[in-house]
Amino acid sequence: MTLPTTPTITVFERSPDRGKGLARDMRVRWALEEVGLPYEVRLVSFAAMKEPAHLALHPFGQIPTYEEGDLVLFESGSIVFHLAERHTGLLPADANARARAITWMFAAVNTVEPPILDLQTAKFQEGDKPWAEQRLPLVRDRIRVRLGELSARLARADWLDGVFSAGDLMMVSVLLRLKPSGLLDEYPNLAAYVARGEARPAYQRAFAAQLAVFTGNAPAGA
Ligand SMILES: N[C@@H](CCC(=O)N[C@@H](CS)C(=O)NCC(=O)O)C(=O)O
């Protein structure tokens, strides 16, 4: 009998968001908690992420990575998809519903996340440029376009396509990055959607685990 291998993920040794749960290991931790899979955590420094040992796992020198036996994955969306495919709880059994949930995963990282990342670039990497003040409102408006469209589609539903899925896990994770900006509050149904995601026990466990790395107060993994 082959015993299942406990997966190992890599996360920031020092969380730049001070444990707010915005780093992308949080999505992977959340997915692991949703499917009830124990995992181990390896902390990496910014310097170590750019060294050969980590670059062998992640060509772009980032976190998270995922190791399970001889399988190595990077890209949070791909890792969540891998977990959702191999365990129950994150993708519906019906083939069409499953395809739609996967579509929402792609929509989260490919359509909704890019303008949100632009805001972070505009604020933190380009905030001192002379044109930064002019660029920020444009970036915010591009986010509003996407939020307006998503808000219209979600309407009064709890989740994007019936039951909670990996599509919601990815979308909520992406939207959470907007919390400090206040933009989410302009769309009450999206703010409530994100709050529903955060209220899930699996999210809470994942959040506590990532916070513990920052505070040093509790076990880092599940
Ligand atoms: N598309 C990648 C993005 C990974 C990423 O940007 N990771 C950040 C942490 S959230 C990182 O490692 N930043 C440090 C760096 O890029 O040097 C994913 O979803 O996993």
Side-chain angles (χ1 to χ4, degrees):
M1 192 180 88
T2 319
L3 290 173
T5 319
T6 302
T8 299
I9 64 168
T10 52
V11 313
F12 282 138
E13 182 180 64
R14 278 172 187 272
S15 167
D17 73 1
R18 297 169 179 265
K20 288 197 180 75
L22 301 179
R24 290 174 180 82
D25 61 289
M26 182 60 203
R27 306 160 183 191
V28 175
R29 289 177 183 272
W30 186 6
L32 285 157
E33 293 288 352
E34 289 284 352
V35 301
L37 195 63
Y39 63 100
E40 300 198 345
V41 172
R42 195 166 60 247
L43 308 181
V44 286
S45 66
F46 271 89
M49 283 195 304
K50 309 301 175 194
E51 282 167 13
H54 189 77
L55 287 169
L57 306 177
H58 196 309
F60 308 114
Q62 297 180 315
I63 61 99
T65 60
Y66 178 94
E67 293 155 72
E68 181 195 303
D70 53 13
L71 173 68
V72 178
L73 296 175
F74 59 95
E75 284 297 330
S76 57
S78 163
I79 300 168
V80 171
F81 183 43
H82 168 76
L83 292 168
E85 274 210 310
R86 281 166 177 74
H87 304 272
T88 51
L90 283 174
L91 284 176
D94 173 77
N96 284 356
R98 199 177 176 89
R100 288 195 302 272
I102 295 164
T103 299
W104 280 116
M105 293 184 70
F106 276 89
V109 290
N110 208 30
T111 301
V112 178
E113 190 166 43
I116 294 175
L117 294 178
D118 266 357
L119 180 61
Q120 279 162 0
T121 306
K123 272 183 171 168
F124 303 116
Q125 272 107 49
E126 300 167 351
D128 58 347
K129 302 283 186 260
W131 36 261
E133 278 304 303
Q134 284 170 298
R135 177 161 141 76
L136 267 171
L138 303 176
V139 175
R140 284 205 179 88
D141 281 346
R142 278 200 292 274
I143 296 172
R144 284 191 180 98
V145 170
R146 284 289 176 258
L147 295 185
E149 291 158 344
L150 187 65
S151 168
R153 171 54 81 101
L154 181 67
R156 296 160 71 93
D158 278 355
W159 306 114
L160 287 166
D161 195 295
V163 294
F164 176 83
S165 77
D168 295 296
L169 186 151
M170 291 302 292
M171 191 64 81
V172 168
S173 300
V174 161
L175 294 176
L176 269 165
R177 297 188 146 237
L178 280 176
K179 258 195 168 179
S181 74
L183 281 168
L184 211 48
D185 299 327
E186 295 177 21
Y187 304 84
N189 67 336
L190 293 185
Y193 170 64
V194 168
R196 265 192 297 283
E198 289 178 290
R200 291 179 70 84
Y203 178 92
Q204 297 287 321
R205 288 194 297 274
F207 186 88
Q210 67 75 36
L211 182 62
V213 175
F214 186 72
T215 60
N217 279 339

